[in-house]
């Protein structure tokens, strides 16, 4: 791939990890900006970036990655739009796509830059540049949501960059499809985990817990500011998923209340068989 000039706005966990990965794995030049000058200086000292990204640099960048919370990302893109070069690819890394893509689409059309939504399916319970890792995206998936009419060559350019820094799977989706699926695969899981540890029994788990507890509580710890914004930005699909879960939990509860062993076995078998089919296997027949 021909070397690019890449600007990264926001050097937190994701933006910082992208900077480190791109510097480590590609010949591209990386310029970074963060509202905290200490973070920028640290990124420079660690050679995670080649220099500080200025507004004047935006016009020369082949790719600008905006790694901020959704509403802040929209505001920054809106303020920066007149300074992007014609044809510059601008990509975000937010966990929701519909709200952001709808806000940015008219700006891209007006100012002539190319916007491609991005969601790296990777992360940790920690945040900030101090936890950024060049290996964060190894064997991870990237979901891209290009605007309608985006040239395939530009999407391919971003896809090849993703592959070069460790992503092993790239999905192309509409913003609406992304948000509908992510409400289940990520957002519902975080809410369930966060709610699960609120049980009074959680304080007594030591010595009584193993893999099941560890797996179900892995994402209970989260950044409440970021996740509140993500949940509210995708509230309708997420509410549907919560309603569906409540419906199924009510069925299990009813079977227990009525001591209905047959109904309980049926519910458990349905869930077990569904998991097998989702994983591409056929249920056992007895």
């Amino acid at each position: 791939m021909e070397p690019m000039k890449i600007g990264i706005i926001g050097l937190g966990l994701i933006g910082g990890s992208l900077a480190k990965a791109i510097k480590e794995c590609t010949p591209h030049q990386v310029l970074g900006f963060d509202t905290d000058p200490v973070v920028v200086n640290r990124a420079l000292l660690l050679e995670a970036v080649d220099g500080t990204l200025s507004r004047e640099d935006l016009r020369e960048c082949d790719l600008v990655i905006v790694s901020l919370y959704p509403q802040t990302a929209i505001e920054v893109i809106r303020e920066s739009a007149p300074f992007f070069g014609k044809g510059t690819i601008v990509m975000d890394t937010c966990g929701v796509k519909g709200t952001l893509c709808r806000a940015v689409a008219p700006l891209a059309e007006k100012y002539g830059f190319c916007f491609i939504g991005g969601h790296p399916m990777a992360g940790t319970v920690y945040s900030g540049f101090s936890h950024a890792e060049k290996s964060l995206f190894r064997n991870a998936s990237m979901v891209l949501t290009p605007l309608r009419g985006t040239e395939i060559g530009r999407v391919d350019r971003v896809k090849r960059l993703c592959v070069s820094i460790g992503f092993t799977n790239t999905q192309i989706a509409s913003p609406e499809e992304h948000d509908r699926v992510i409400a289940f695969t990520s957002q519902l899981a975080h809410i369930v985990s966060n709610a699960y540890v609120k049980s009074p029994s959680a304080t007594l788990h030591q010595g009584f817990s193993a893999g099941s507890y560890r797996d179900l509580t892995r994402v209970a710890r989260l950044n409440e500011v970021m996740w509140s914004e993500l949940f509210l930005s995708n509230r309708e699909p997420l509410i549907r998923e919560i309603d569906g879960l409540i419906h199924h939990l009510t069925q299990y509860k009813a079977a227990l209340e009525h001591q209905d062993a047959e109904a309980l076995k049926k519910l458990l078998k349905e869930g077990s068989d569904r998991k097998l089919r989702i994983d591409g296997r056929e249920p056992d027949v007895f």
Side-chain angles (χ1 to χ4, degrees):
M1 182 188 298
E2 182 180 343
M4 294 189 291
K5 187 173 185 177
I6 298 176
I8 300 179
I9 302 175
L11 295 173
L13 175 70
I14 299 300
S17 295
L18 285 169
K20 289 183 175 182
I22 294 170
K23 281 289 294 173
E24 174 76 15
C25 304
T26 78
H28 306 312
Q29 179 186 13
V30 179
L31 301 177
F33 174 81
D34 194 276
T35 54
D36 187 346
V38 174
V39 169
V40 177
N41 288 335
R42 188 172 182 187
L44 288 166
L45 287 171
L46 293 175
E47 299 184 346
V49 297
D50 296 297
T52 304
L53 178 69
S54 68
R55 179 164 283 180
E56 291 70 31
D57 292 314
L58 292 177
R59 202 171 302 279
E60 304 301 322
C61 286
D62 300 289
L63 170 66
V64 177
I65 301 172
V66 181
S67 191
L68 302 167
Y69 294 177
Q71 289 305 316
T72 305
I74 291 171
E75 292 169 11
V76 167
I77 293 173
R78 182 177 293 119
E79 293 170 1
S80 304
F83 303 95
F84 292 135
K86 298 292 183 183
T88 294
I89 300 172
V90 178
M91 183 176 78
D92 80 301
T93 62
C94 297
V96 291
K97 298 270 76 82
T99 300
L100 200 137
C101 288
R102 286 190 294 271
V104 174
L107 296 171
E109 183 177 1
K110 179 178 179 179
Y111 292 103
F113 63 89
C114 170
F115 181 74
I116 297 177
H119 183 187
M121 303 300 297
T124 71
V125 297
Y126 304 105
S127 59
F129 182 79
S130 59
H131 297 288
E133 294 289 345
K134 62 186 178 185
S135 60
L136 184 64
F137 311 110
R138 193 171 297 158
N139 300 319
S141 294
M142 169 66 91
V143 184
L144 299 177
T145 60
L147 299 180
R148 189 182 301 274
T150 302
E151 293 177 13
I152 190 65
R154 289 174 174 169
V155 178
D156 184 63
R157 199 173 191 184
V158 172
K159 181 179 178 179
R160 284 185 286 141
L161 173 65
C162 293
V163 171
S164 70
I165 61 175
F167 289 100
T168 52
N169 180 38
T170 304
Q171 296 288 331
I172 309 296
S174 69
E176 295 74 23
E177 179 187 6
H178 167 277
D179 289 356
R180 184 172 62 252
V181 176
I182 219 70
F184 170 72
T185 61
S186 175
Q187 295 182 341
L188 180 66
H190 281 80
I191 283 181
V192 170
S193 184
N194 191 265
Y196 176 72
V197 297
K198 292 178 180 178
S199 167
S201 301
T203 60
L204 308 173
H205 83 90
Q206 294 289 350
F208 293 86
S209 59
S212 299
Y213 175 86
R214 183 179 59 249
D215 291 346
L216 192 50
T217 61
R218 186 180 67 82
V219 292
R221 181 182 173 187
L222 43 73
N223 179 327
E224 69 277 7
V225 177
M226 180 185 76
W227 282 100
S228 292
E229 186 171 339
L230 293 172
F231 292 157
L232 290 169
S233 295
N234 199 35
R235 59 188 179 278
E236 291 182 6
L238 182 54
I239 288 170
R240 285 196 294 271
E241 292 295 341
I242 292 173
D243 284 342
L245 179 62
I246 290 172
H247 169 71
H248 291 299
L249 288 174
T250 300
Q251 292 179 319
Y252 289 92
K253 180 184 177 184
L256 290 167
E257 287 176 335
H258 294 94
Q259 300 185 53
D260 190 337
E262 291 307 311
L264 188 57
K265 285 187 285 188
K266 181 174 182 292
L267 290 168
L268 294 171
K269 182 71 164 58
E270 288 172 349
S272 180
D273 289 353
R274 181 156 176 77
K275 168 61 175 169
L276 286 171
R277 290 192 178 97
I278 290 170
D279 291 344
R281 299 164 55 193
E282 283 300 315
D284 296 325
V285 178
F286 297 102

